Amino acid sequence: QVQLVESGGGLVQAGGSLRLSCAASGRTFSRYGMSRYAMGWFRQAPGKEREFVAAISGNAGSTYYADSVKGRFAISRDNAKNTVSLQMNSLKPEDTAVYYCAATGPYYTSSYSHRDHDYDYWGQGTQVTVSS
């Protein structure tokens, strides 16, 4: 199994920054190694569908961003520590949402996905609120 726990959410004014972190654990991760799993961040605002935010390949060689966050957000990972982070700068009120960390199966060493159905494991989410 895989467990994902997000942290770092909170309330910030527009233009501010937050850094989300996701800690991964579990026997599956230990067995295959985190470098075989792509990791992604998704978000869901009230009354809206969950949407893709950013993804990173298992070996951290490739990243991909939604157009709405490109140039403002940066995803990174530390496979030695089994963590993935999302640095969010120049935050806007429309970034307000619950942010979810997600992991694929162990087949994404050098690739990633922006599709939520490619992700097998999900965290509980962390709230990010950006005030205007």
Side-chain angles (χ1 to χ4, degrees):
Q1 296 298 324
V2 173
Q3 292 79 44
L4 302 174
V5 179
E6 303 96 335
S7 61
L11 173 64
V12 64
Q13 289 188 334
S17 298
L18 280 176
R19 185 176 180 87
L20 304 183
S21 295
C22 174
S25 62
R27 288 184 296 176
T28 303
F29 260 38
S30 299
R31 176 179 180 183
Y32 293 106
M34 192 178 179
S35 64
R36 295 184 64 174
Y37 297 78
M39 301 295 293
W41 287 94
F42 292 76
R43 67 187 182 187
Q44 187 167 21
K48 295 187 177 181
E49 293 187 354
R50 185 169 60 192
E51 65 174 0
F52 168 78
V53 175
I56 187 167
S57 62
N59 61 10
S62 300
T63 58
Y64 184 69
Y65 298 91
D67 288 343
S68 59
V69 306
K70 199 172 297 182
R72 299 189 297 123
F73 290 12
I75 188 171
S76 60
R77 65 190 295 161
D78 186 336
N79 287 339
K81 296 181 179 179
N82 283 0
T83 60
V84 62
S85 298
L86 184 68
Q87 178 66 43
M88 306 186 295
N89 300 324
S90 302
L91 283 162
K92 305 175 181 179
E94 50 264 43
D95 294 318
T96 295
V98 177
Y99 283 70
Y100 297 92
C101 173
T104 64
Y107 316 111
Y108 286 78
T109 299
S110 58
S111 60
Y112 53 78
S113 173
H114 64 281
R115 300 175 299 187
D116 58 2
H117 63 260
D118 286 331
Y119 288 82
D120 295 337
Y121 308 100
W122 295 82
Q124 294 297 309
T126 185
Q127 176 70 47
V128 171
T129 303
V130 184
S131 63
S132 57

